[in-house]
Short mmCIF file of all heavy atoms in Angstrom, two decimals:
data_model
loop_
_atom_site.label_atom_id
_atom_site.label_comp_id
_atom_site.label_asym_id
_atom_site.label_seq_id
_atom_site.Cartn_x
_atom_site.Cartn_y
_atom_site.Cartn_z
N TYR A 1 -9.53 -40.14 -17.50
CA TYR A 1 -8.81 -41.13 -18.38
C TYR A 1 -9.82 -41.69 -19.48
O TYR A 1 -10.97 -41.91 -19.28
CB TYR A 1 -8.22 -42.29 -17.70
CG TYR A 1 -7.27 -41.94 -16.60
CD1 TYR A 1 -7.66 -41.82 -15.25
CD2 TYR A 1 -6.05 -41.69 -16.91
CE1 TYR A 1 -6.71 -41.39 -14.25
CE2 TYR A 1 -5.01 -41.34 -15.99
CZ TYR A 1 -5.38 -41.26 -14.72
OH TYR A 1 -4.53 -40.82 -13.70
N SER A 2 -9.38 -41.76 -20.69
CA SER A 2 -10.18 -42.43 -21.75
C SER A 2 -10.20 -43.94 -21.39
O SER A 2 -9.17 -44.52 -20.94
CB SER A 2 -9.54 -42.20 -23.12
OG SER A 2 -9.58 -40.84 -23.42
N ALA A 3 -11.34 -44.50 -21.74
CA ALA A 3 -11.53 -45.92 -21.33
C ALA A 3 -11.08 -46.86 -22.46
O ALA A 3 -11.26 -48.07 -22.19
CB ALA A 3 -13.02 -46.22 -20.97
N LEU A 4 -10.52 -46.34 -23.47
CA LEU A 4 -10.01 -47.23 -24.52
C LEU A 4 -8.93 -46.52 -25.24
O LEU A 4 -9.16 -45.37 -25.78
CB LEU A 4 -11.14 -47.53 -25.51
CG LEU A 4 -10.96 -48.66 -26.49
CD1 LEU A 4 -10.87 -50.03 -25.79
CD2 LEU A 4 -12.18 -48.80 -27.48
N LYS A 5 -7.69 -47.05 -25.21
CA LYS A 5 -6.58 -46.46 -26.00
C LYS A 5 -6.80 -47.00 -27.42
O LYS A 5 -7.07 -48.14 -27.56
CB LYS A 5 -5.21 -47.01 -25.37
CG LYS A 5 -5.15 -46.56 -23.87
CD LYS A 5 -5.21 -45.06 -23.65
CE LYS A 5 -5.09 -44.72 -22.10
NZ LYS A 5 -3.87 -45.11 -21.55
N ILE A 6 -6.45 -46.21 -28.39
CA ILE A 6 -6.80 -46.53 -29.78
C ILE A 6 -5.64 -46.16 -30.66
O ILE A 6 -4.98 -45.16 -30.61
CB ILE A 6 -8.06 -45.73 -30.29
CG1 ILE A 6 -9.25 -46.08 -29.39
CG2 ILE A 6 -8.32 -46.01 -31.70
CD1 ILE A 6 -10.50 -45.21 -29.67
N VAL A 7 -5.36 -47.14 -31.62
CA VAL A 7 -4.39 -46.97 -32.66
C VAL A 7 -5.11 -47.15 -33.96
O VAL A 7 -5.61 -48.30 -34.12
CB VAL A 7 -3.12 -47.87 -32.51
CG1 VAL A 7 -2.20 -47.74 -33.70
CG2 VAL A 7 -2.51 -47.63 -31.26
N LEU A 8 -5.13 -46.17 -34.82
CA LEU A 8 -5.70 -46.37 -36.16
C LEU A 8 -4.53 -46.49 -37.22
O LEU A 8 -3.79 -45.48 -37.39
CB LEU A 8 -6.60 -45.18 -36.48
CG LEU A 8 -7.72 -44.91 -35.46
CD1 LEU A 8 -8.56 -43.74 -35.90
CD2 LEU A 8 -8.58 -46.15 -35.35
N SER A 9 -4.50 -47.57 -37.84
CA SER A 9 -3.48 -47.92 -38.81
C SER A 9 -4.01 -47.80 -40.28
O SER A 9 -5.06 -48.31 -40.49
CB SER A 9 -2.80 -49.22 -38.53
OG SER A 9 -1.77 -49.55 -39.52
N SER A 10 -3.18 -47.28 -41.17
CA SER A 10 -3.72 -47.05 -42.50
C SER A 10 -2.58 -46.97 -43.46
O SER A 10 -1.54 -46.49 -43.14
CB SER A 10 -4.61 -45.83 -42.56
OG SER A 10 -5.02 -45.55 -43.95
N ASP A 11 -2.78 -47.44 -44.75
CA ASP A 11 -1.78 -47.25 -45.77
C ASP A 11 -1.96 -46.01 -46.60
O ASP A 11 -1.37 -45.83 -47.66
CB ASP A 11 -1.72 -48.48 -46.66
CG ASP A 11 -2.97 -48.75 -47.38
OD1 ASP A 11 -3.87 -47.81 -47.53
OD2 ASP A 11 -3.17 -49.84 -48.00
N ARG A 12 -2.76 -45.08 -46.09
CA ARG A 12 -2.94 -43.75 -46.71
C ARG A 12 -3.23 -42.73 -45.70
O ARG A 12 -3.51 -43.12 -44.45
CB ARG A 12 -4.04 -43.73 -47.74
CG ARG A 12 -5.40 -44.08 -47.18
CD ARG A 12 -6.44 -44.33 -48.21
NE ARG A 12 -6.12 -45.75 -48.82
CZ ARG A 12 -6.83 -46.32 -49.83
NH1 ARG A 12 -7.90 -45.62 -50.29
NH2 ARG A 12 -6.48 -47.43 -50.29
N SER A 13 -3.09 -41.50 -45.96
CA SER A 13 -3.42 -40.45 -45.00
C SER A 13 -4.81 -40.50 -44.48
O SER A 13 -5.82 -40.70 -45.21
CB SER A 13 -3.12 -39.07 -45.70
OG SER A 13 -3.43 -38.03 -44.63
N LEU A 14 -4.93 -40.32 -43.19
CA LEU A 14 -6.24 -40.29 -42.54
C LEU A 14 -6.82 -38.86 -42.33
O LEU A 14 -7.83 -38.76 -41.68
CB LEU A 14 -6.17 -41.00 -41.15
CG LEU A 14 -5.92 -42.54 -41.23
CD1 LEU A 14 -5.53 -43.07 -39.82
CD2 LEU A 14 -7.14 -43.29 -41.70
N ASP A 15 -6.17 -37.94 -42.91
CA ASP A 15 -6.56 -36.53 -42.63
C ASP A 15 -8.07 -36.31 -43.12
O ASP A 15 -8.78 -35.66 -42.36
CB ASP A 15 -5.64 -35.59 -43.47
CG ASP A 15 -4.42 -35.36 -42.81
OD1 ASP A 15 -4.15 -35.86 -41.73
OD2 ASP A 15 -3.55 -34.67 -43.39
N ALA A 16 -8.42 -36.89 -44.20
CA ALA A 16 -9.87 -36.59 -44.70
C ALA A 16 -10.86 -37.12 -43.71
O ALA A 16 -12.01 -36.61 -43.51
CB ALA A 16 -10.03 -37.25 -46.07
N ILE A 17 -10.54 -38.21 -43.02
CA ILE A 17 -11.50 -38.83 -42.12
C ILE A 17 -11.43 -38.04 -40.76
O ILE A 17 -12.49 -37.68 -40.19
CB ILE A 17 -11.15 -40.39 -41.83
CG1 ILE A 17 -11.48 -41.13 -43.10
CG2 ILE A 17 -12.01 -40.84 -40.64
CD1 ILE A 17 -11.06 -42.60 -42.98
N ILE A 18 -10.24 -37.81 -40.30
CA ILE A 18 -10.10 -37.16 -38.92
C ILE A 18 -10.62 -35.77 -38.91
O ILE A 18 -11.22 -35.31 -37.92
CB ILE A 18 -8.62 -37.23 -38.57
CG1 ILE A 18 -8.14 -38.70 -38.32
CG2 ILE A 18 -8.49 -36.47 -37.19
CD1 ILE A 18 -8.95 -39.49 -37.34
N THR A 19 -10.47 -35.07 -40.00
CA THR A 19 -10.96 -33.62 -40.03
C THR A 19 -12.35 -33.46 -40.30
O THR A 19 -12.95 -32.35 -40.29
CB THR A 19 -10.10 -32.85 -41.03
OG1 THR A 19 -10.27 -33.45 -42.37
CG2 THR A 19 -8.67 -32.74 -40.68
N SER A 20 -13.13 -34.62 -40.48
CA SER A 20 -14.53 -34.52 -40.73
C SER A 20 -15.13 -34.14 -39.38
O SER A 20 -14.83 -34.57 -38.36
CB SER A 20 -15.05 -35.98 -41.13
OG SER A 20 -16.45 -36.04 -41.12
N GLU A 21 -16.21 -33.35 -39.53
CA GLU A 21 -16.92 -32.85 -38.33
C GLU A 21 -17.44 -34.05 -37.48
O GLU A 21 -17.42 -34.00 -36.27
CB GLU A 21 -18.03 -31.89 -38.76
CG GLU A 21 -18.77 -31.30 -37.62
CD GLU A 21 -19.83 -30.24 -38.00
OE1 GLU A 21 -19.88 -29.98 -39.25
OE2 GLU A 21 -20.67 -29.90 -37.21
N ALA A 22 -17.85 -35.04 -38.10
CA ALA A 22 -18.46 -36.21 -37.45
C ALA A 22 -17.38 -36.95 -36.58
O ALA A 22 -17.80 -37.80 -35.73
CB ALA A 22 -19.14 -37.18 -38.44
N MET A 23 -16.15 -36.73 -36.93
CA MET A 23 -15.09 -37.45 -36.16
C MET A 23 -14.41 -36.61 -35.08
O MET A 23 -13.28 -36.87 -34.68
CB MET A 23 -14.06 -37.93 -37.16
CG MET A 23 -14.52 -38.94 -38.24
SD MET A 23 -14.91 -40.52 -37.46
CE MET A 23 -13.30 -41.14 -37.05
N GLU A 24 -15.17 -35.66 -34.62
CA GLU A 24 -14.60 -34.73 -33.57
C GLU A 24 -14.13 -35.50 -32.38
O GLU A 24 -13.03 -35.13 -31.75
CB GLU A 24 -15.57 -33.69 -33.24
CG GLU A 24 -15.09 -32.63 -32.31
CD GLU A 24 -16.12 -31.57 -31.95
OE1 GLU A 24 -17.32 -31.76 -32.32
OE2 GLU A 24 -15.79 -30.51 -31.32
N ALA A 25 -14.90 -36.48 -31.96
CA ALA A 25 -14.45 -37.16 -30.70
C ALA A 25 -13.17 -37.90 -30.89
O ALA A 25 -12.43 -38.11 -29.97
CB ALA A 25 -15.56 -38.17 -30.40
N ILE A 26 -12.79 -38.25 -32.12
CA ILE A 26 -11.49 -38.96 -32.43
C ILE A 26 -10.46 -37.85 -32.58
O ILE A 26 -9.38 -37.96 -31.91
CB ILE A 26 -11.51 -39.77 -33.68
CG1 ILE A 26 -12.60 -40.92 -33.60
CG2 ILE A 26 -10.20 -40.23 -34.15
CD1 ILE A 26 -12.10 -42.08 -32.71
N ALA A 27 -10.77 -36.84 -33.28
CA ALA A 27 -9.68 -35.79 -33.54
C ALA A 27 -9.18 -35.16 -32.33
O ALA A 27 -7.95 -34.91 -32.20
CB ALA A 27 -10.28 -34.79 -34.52
N ARG A 28 -10.04 -34.93 -31.33
CA ARG A 28 -9.62 -34.22 -30.09
C ARG A 28 -8.62 -35.07 -29.26
O ARG A 28 -8.01 -34.64 -28.37
CB ARG A 28 -10.90 -33.88 -29.30
CG ARG A 28 -11.64 -32.66 -29.84
CD ARG A 28 -12.70 -32.22 -28.97
NE ARG A 28 -13.41 -31.00 -29.51
CZ ARG A 28 -14.33 -30.33 -28.88
NH1 ARG A 28 -14.80 -30.87 -27.68
NH2 ARG A 28 -14.86 -29.29 -29.32
N ARG A 29 -8.81 -36.36 -29.47
CA ARG A 29 -7.87 -37.26 -28.65
C ARG A 29 -6.54 -37.66 -29.28
O ARG A 29 -5.69 -38.25 -28.62
CB ARG A 29 -8.66 -38.58 -28.45
CG ARG A 29 -9.66 -38.53 -27.28
CD ARG A 29 -10.17 -39.85 -26.91
NE ARG A 29 -9.09 -40.89 -26.71
CZ ARG A 29 -9.34 -42.21 -26.54
NH1 ARG A 29 -10.50 -42.65 -26.66
NH2 ARG A 29 -8.30 -42.97 -26.36
N VAL A 30 -6.39 -37.32 -30.47
CA VAL A 30 -5.14 -37.70 -31.14
C VAL A 30 -4.00 -36.97 -30.51
O VAL A 30 -3.84 -35.85 -30.32
CB VAL A 30 -5.07 -37.21 -32.75
CG1 VAL A 30 -3.80 -37.56 -33.38
CG2 VAL A 30 -6.22 -38.03 -33.44
N VAL A 31 -3.02 -37.85 -30.02
CA VAL A 31 -1.71 -37.37 -29.46
C VAL A 31 -0.57 -37.53 -30.42
O VAL A 31 0.49 -36.96 -30.19
CB VAL A 31 -1.56 -38.00 -28.07
CG1 VAL A 31 -2.52 -37.57 -27.04
CG2 VAL A 31 -1.46 -39.51 -28.15
N HIS A 32 -0.65 -38.47 -31.36
CA HIS A 32 0.34 -38.73 -32.31
C HIS A 32 -0.16 -38.98 -33.69
O HIS A 32 -1.10 -39.81 -33.78
CB HIS A 32 1.30 -39.88 -31.89
CG HIS A 32 2.04 -39.72 -30.61
ND1 HIS A 32 3.06 -38.88 -30.47
CD2 HIS A 32 1.86 -40.30 -29.42
CE1 HIS A 32 3.46 -38.87 -29.13
NE2 HIS A 32 2.74 -39.72 -28.52
N ASP A 33 0.39 -38.32 -34.71
CA ASP A 33 0.10 -38.61 -36.02
C ASP A 33 1.37 -39.12 -36.66
O ASP A 33 2.17 -38.29 -37.16
CB ASP A 33 -0.42 -37.30 -36.73
CG ASP A 33 -0.89 -37.66 -38.19
OD1 ASP A 33 -0.89 -38.77 -38.61
OD2 ASP A 33 -1.25 -36.71 -38.93
N PHE A 34 1.66 -40.43 -36.59
CA PHE A 34 2.92 -40.96 -36.99
C PHE A 34 2.96 -41.56 -38.40
O PHE A 34 2.11 -42.32 -38.71
CB PHE A 34 3.29 -42.06 -35.93
CG PHE A 34 4.80 -42.43 -36.12
CD1 PHE A 34 5.84 -41.83 -35.30
CD2 PHE A 34 5.23 -43.43 -37.05
CE1 PHE A 34 7.04 -42.23 -35.46
CE2 PHE A 34 6.56 -43.80 -37.15
CZ PHE A 34 7.45 -43.22 -36.37
N HIS A 35 3.94 -41.12 -39.20
CA HIS A 35 4.05 -41.59 -40.54
C HIS A 35 5.41 -42.35 -40.67
O HIS A 35 6.43 -41.79 -40.44
CB HIS A 35 4.07 -40.40 -41.51
CG HIS A 35 2.77 -39.74 -41.55
ND1 HIS A 35 1.89 -39.83 -42.56
CD2 HIS A 35 2.19 -38.86 -40.66
CE1 HIS A 35 0.90 -38.99 -42.28
NE2 HIS A 35 1.07 -38.50 -41.09
N LEU A 36 5.21 -43.69 -41.04
CA LEU A 36 6.45 -44.47 -41.21
C LEU A 36 7.27 -43.93 -42.25
O LEU A 36 6.90 -43.53 -43.30
CB LEU A 36 6.06 -46.00 -41.41
CG LEU A 36 5.62 -46.71 -40.15
CD1 LEU A 36 4.97 -48.08 -40.66
CD2 LEU A 36 6.81 -46.98 -39.29
N ARG A 37 8.67 -44.02 -42.11
CA ARG A 37 9.65 -43.71 -43.10
C ARG A 37 10.46 -44.91 -43.48
O ARG A 37 10.54 -45.85 -42.74
CB ARG A 37 10.58 -42.64 -42.50
CG ARG A 37 9.91 -41.30 -42.11
CD ARG A 37 9.83 -40.42 -43.29
NE ARG A 37 9.12 -39.20 -42.98
CZ ARG A 37 9.30 -38.00 -43.59
NH1 ARG A 37 10.14 -37.95 -44.58
NH2 ARG A 37 8.60 -36.96 -43.36
N PRO A 38 11.00 -45.01 -44.74
CA PRO A 38 11.77 -46.13 -45.18
C PRO A 38 13.13 -46.22 -44.46
O PRO A 38 13.53 -45.29 -43.78
CB PRO A 38 11.97 -45.82 -46.69
CG PRO A 38 11.85 -44.40 -46.84
CD PRO A 38 10.89 -43.90 -45.75
N MET A 39 13.72 -47.35 -44.63
CA MET A 39 15.09 -47.64 -44.09
C MET A 39 16.07 -46.87 -44.84
O MET A 39 15.98 -46.63 -46.05
CB MET A 39 15.40 -49.03 -44.00
CG MET A 39 14.47 -49.93 -43.22
SD MET A 39 14.87 -51.70 -43.31
CE MET A 39 14.41 -52.16 -44.98
N SER A 40 17.27 -46.49 -44.24
CA SER A 40 18.35 -45.94 -44.90
C SER A 40 19.11 -47.01 -45.66
O SER A 40 18.86 -48.26 -45.45
CB SER A 40 19.29 -45.26 -43.95
OG SER A 40 19.87 -46.24 -43.07
N GLN A 41 20.11 -46.66 -46.43
CA GLN A 41 20.95 -47.67 -47.07
C GLN A 41 21.65 -48.69 -46.09
O GLN A 41 21.53 -49.92 -46.20
CB GLN A 41 21.94 -47.08 -47.99
CG GLN A 41 22.83 -48.05 -48.86
CD GLN A 41 23.78 -47.33 -49.71
OE1 GLN A 41 23.54 -46.25 -50.23
NE2 GLN A 41 24.95 -47.99 -49.91
#
C-alpha cells in the first residue's frame, strides 16, 4: 500500500509535469486522469 493517497488538482493539463522523467514516482501511481466537463443545458 502507498502510505499517502494523492490528488493533484490543476486548471491546466498536467501532462508536461507527469511525463517528466523526474516525476516517474508520481506517473507510475496514477490511477485516474480525470478532466471535468461542463454542465448540459
Side-chain angles (χ1 to χ4, degrees):
Y1 301 99
S2 293
L4 195 64
K5 305 298 176 64
I6 299 173
V7 177
L8 302 180
S9 177
S10 174
D11 61 14
R12 63 194 68 179
S13 174
L14 290 169
D15 282 356
I17 293 177
I18 297 300
T19 55
S20 168
E21 184 176 350
M23 296 293 288
E24 183 179 9
I26 296 289
R28 286 186 175 183
R29 277 190 52 189
V30 174
V31 293
H32 297 290
D33 185 7
F34 192 93
H35 296 253
L36 281 167
R37 296 275 176 154
M39 299 180 290
S40 66
Q41 182 180 330

